[in-house]
Amino acid sequence: MLDEIKRRRTFAIISHPDAGKTTLTEKLLLFGGQIQVAGAVKSNKIKKTATSDWMEIEKQRGISVTTSVMEFDYKQYKVNILDTPGHQDFAEDTFRTLTAVDSVIIVVDGAKGVEAQTRKLMEVCRMRNTPVIVYINKMDREGRDPFDLLDEIESELQIKVRPLSWPIEQGIRFKGVYNIYEEKLNLYQPSKQVVTEKVQVDINSKELDSNIGEALANKLRTDLELIDGVYTKFDVDDYLNANIAPVFFGSALNNFGVQELLDCFVEIAPSPRPVEAEEREVKPEEEKFTGFIFKITANIDPNHRSCVAFCKVCSGKFVRNAPYKHVRNGKTVRFSSPTQFMAQKKSTIEEAYPGDIIGLPDNGTFKIGDTLTEGEELHFKGLPSFSPEMFKYIENADPMKTKQLNKGVDQLMDEGVAQLFINQFNGRKLIGTVGQLQFEVIQYRLLNEYNAACRWEPLSLYKACWVESDNAEELEAFKKRKYQFMAKDREGRDVFLADSNYVLQMAQIDFKSIKFHFTSEF
Ligand code: G4P
């Protein structure tokens, strides 16, 4: 059991759209032997959308809406990659996926540097102390100076970095990467594209000069001296404690610097870590099975209208058909066809270990954050909801289908597609999302899965924030003053709908005892 836990590496690759996440994932799968040809992951994406109804939206827009899991064995390790949606409107999905990983690889576009989405995702990693490795991609393009990029990552992502590889030139002059971690020189052969030529040379040897020329060899030596002078020596514990992010350079498209990343990753990345529950900390090596649902995906297979709930195993061994307790509703559940996911197929499994992600068929019994145990009353802590950025009133467009609409909205909210608030002034339902696309997905799915029609009424709001205070009187006064802008979330908590940043700031000045929270857990 301990061996199984120790060999697992469960992580997510995150990036701003277009930085190269899909390409890198695909190359990792190549190394894992899961696919034989490059391009398979993308074609898989298209196939999926063609056979799945509601993902028509995805197809039309050429984006990946869903999150899936890919597993493969590499050396003695079992690698579980959690894929995240490639579109920023689905950032909330990615946030939740980050609750189920033990570490993260961040892909940064070498020409563009740190972009908005990366910054946001890093905030979530920081909240959870998730160890991160940075992969600076597209070094085969003219990009920025590597030192500048490192500075930008430190200041923008607020984490100390330590380069473990170093590029020798870039763009068309890109010669290769010096692997600082292994002290090896990896030369890039543009004509071969997929082959990485590894040459083991000592940094001070003449051989280095003959391989890359005297000028570049000297520059590399100076750069490496500078790196040793500026950055602290790499210490795995600093990385594991999320104090320092090792950085690799490469080009995913050209399969360059990818194996270096993977080799170092499996060696240093954490195996499943203890998980915090409200009651106690749960250790992976505990005998009894526990797990939680972090993601629910609808209708991957259009022939079966049921959903798949993704469960992360936190401790013990999961066994097919064994009775488990669904803690929220107290019921005993058994799973006869739990699945695991390979790059292009899924298969039924008999057992799973901490760190593994299993797919459980679901007919609306699960909500995001649900805990499964062998009987213990345990509640894993989820990721808080973030204040949505876009809001619309949801209107029933077919009065004969009110029931269907309510059911559909309820289930979609359970899946975590968006957040629902009820305006306390007019009693209207209001849906908050992080992007416009989610409104379209909701409308489409309500129609296709619940036979209910909805209409959206735009609403200009700046933010929804959760409010609380020790001073009950002042809270009441605030709610009275802002009665038109007060709402409740699904748990019945007070939410203030601020229509501008100014209004929010004034409220903060006028009501000093009130705390305004931008996440739902405080
Ligand atoms: P994403 O999942 O992060 O959104 O990015 P994705 O891998 O889809 O990559 C975005 C684009 O960047 C793709 O080009 C991809 O080929 C390109 N790319 C990825 N890695 C590298 C690299 O190392 N060097 C260079 N030069 N380009 C890279 P596209 O034109 O949008 O798609 P495609 O038609 O090539 O598939």
Side-chain angles (χ1 to χ4, degrees), residues 15 17-23 42 137-138 140-141 251-253:
S15 74
D18 264 353
K21 182 170 66 69
T22 313
T23 314
K42 277 203 174 150
N137 191 27
K138 305 197 185 180
D140 59 319
R141 286 221 180 127
S251 163
L253 188 64

Side-chain angles (χ1 to χ4, degrees), residues 38-80:
V41 171
K42 277 203 174 150
S43 63
N44 182 37
K45 250 192 206 170
I46 297 160
K47 224 170 59 209
K48 236 197 225 163
T49 56
T51 52
S52 167
D53 259 348
W54 73 269
M55 285 184 206
E56 198 63 22
I57 299 174
E58 180 185 23
K59 193 172 76 180
Q60 283 163 16
R61 291 170 189 264
I63 53 168
S64 173
V65 176
T66 47
T67 305
S68 57
V69 189
M70 283 157 281
E71 316 181 337
F72 62 86
D73 284 306
Y74 183 71
K75 297 183 177 170
Q76 73 269 38
Y77 300 98
K78 166 134 190 249
V79 180
N80 296 321

Side-chain angles (χ1 to χ4, degrees), residues 303-413:
N303 298 321
H304 301 91
R305 279 279 163 194
S306 74
C307 303
V308 175
F310 290 82
C311 173
K312 156 107 182 234
V313 181
C314 297
S315 70
K317 186 162 98 174
F318 171 92
V319 180
R320 184 167 84 97
N321 277 327
Y324 292 122
K325 180 175 180 174
H326 185 320
V327 175
R328 183 171 50 84
N329 63 20
K331 289 195 179 130
T332 301
V333 282
R334 284 168 204 271
F335 302 97
S336 58
S337 50
T339 47
Q340 72 170 354
F341 304 83
M342 296 308 203
Q344 287 153 304
K345 55 180 192 294
K346 53 179 189 174
S347 53
T348 303
I349 49 149
E350 292 299 325
E351 55 189 38
Y353 292 92
D356 285 344
I357 309 296
I358 42 181
L360 306 172
D362 171 36
N363 290 308
T365 47
F366 285 120
K367 269 189 191 184
I368 300 277
D370 278 349
T371 302
L372 290 172
T373 68
E374 288 191 19
E376 191 181 348
E377 266 304 302
L378 202 66
H379 301 82
F380 283 109
K381 286 185 183 166
L383 189 76
S385 301
F386 289 81
S387 173
E389 281 158 27
M390 300 183 84
F391 302 85
K392 285 181 187 185
Y393 280 122
I394 183 162
E395 288 293 324
N396 188 0
D398 182 353
M400 306 294 289
K401 302 276 168 61
T402 309
K403 240 189 183 162
Q404 284 89 330
L405 183 76
N406 288 342
K407 183 174 170 224
V409 169
D410 255 5
Q411 288 196 351
L412 292 183
M413 297 307 126

